[in-house]
Amino acid sequence: MINQRTITNGNIKTKLVGVSHNNDDGESRQEIIKGQLTKGDALIIKPEHNNPYDSNAVSVWVEVVKGGLFRNKTVFQKQIGFLSREVAAELHEYIMNGNDVTCSVASITGKGKQSCGVNVQIEKTRVYGEEKKANAQARAVS
């Protein structure tokens, strides 16, 4: 079990917070975690500079595909939680400065119990030159 973040060569392992809350549309994050996530799944992280509780907040989302092939396929993004305040403060500036991060499910804890937790692996990738400048500009307007 991962209790605190661990940083190794720019990688971070940490536990998500807010996984027991419902999303704005009323959908249970716990149901999304139990029904959609498996170890190794890629996750999407989004800095939320307009978050009223924490300007460094970083939310974590999973992409869910429903339907058939090609035209009948629908892709949704569903929030499953947030990075802790400490980890978010570190990564928010890193991301907004044009660097890249990837995030994936390291493990799901408590399966079969009322409440599940999600441990994630975050890999930091420093970006240089024009790509970094373009990333920073794009993220400043999103």
Side-chain angles (χ1 to χ4, degrees):
M1 183 169 146
I2 302 169
N3 292 326
Q4 296 180 342
R5 70 187 180 116
T6 306
I7 301 176
T8 312
N9 297 327
N11 296 335
I12 301 170
K13 288 184 180 178
T14 190
K15 186 175 187 107
L16 296 184
V17 299
V19 297
S20 61
H21 295 280
N22 289 340
N23 288 327
D24 291 340
D25 64 1
E27 186 170 19
S28 164
R29 292 180 186 165
Q30 284 293 301
E31 293 302 316
I32 298 167
I33 292 165
K34 291 174 185 175
Q36 304 291 332
L37 285 188
T38 58
K39 182 178 179 177
D41 283 352
L43 300 172
I44 301 158
I45 61 174
K46 298 181 182 182
E48 294 191 359
H49 26 278
N50 294 323
N51 185 300
Y53 303 104
D54 182 0
S55 61
N56 287 323
V58 177
S59 57
V60 181
W61 301 68
V62 63
E63 201 165 79
V64 178
V65 179
K66 293 194 175 187
L69 299 172
F70 307 111
R71 284 187 243 181
N72 296 330
K73 181 171 69 171
T74 306
V75 178
F76 300 93
Q77 290 184 357
K78 297 184 178 192
Q79 186 176 359
I80 58 169
F82 288 90
L83 297 179
S84 69
R85 190 176 291 264
E86 177 188 51
V87 174
E90 178 182 330
L91 284 181
H92 189 275
E93 183 177 349
Y94 185 84
I95 295 166
M96 295 308 293
N97 282 335
N99 295 297
D100 286 333
V101 296
T102 57
C103 184
S104 62
V105 176
S107 63
I108 300 170
T109 60
K111 274 210 166 179
K113 296 182 181 177
Q114 184 175 356
S115 184
C116 291
V118 180
N119 296 317
V120 297
Q121 170 82 27
I122 300 166
E123 296 183 26
K124 296 164 63 175
T125 305
R126 193 161 296 281
V127 178
Y128 299 96
E130 291 301 314
E131 182 181 358
K132 181 174 184 169
K133 184 177 176 182
N135 285 350
Q137 289 173 341
R139 291 172 183 156
V141 296
S142 62

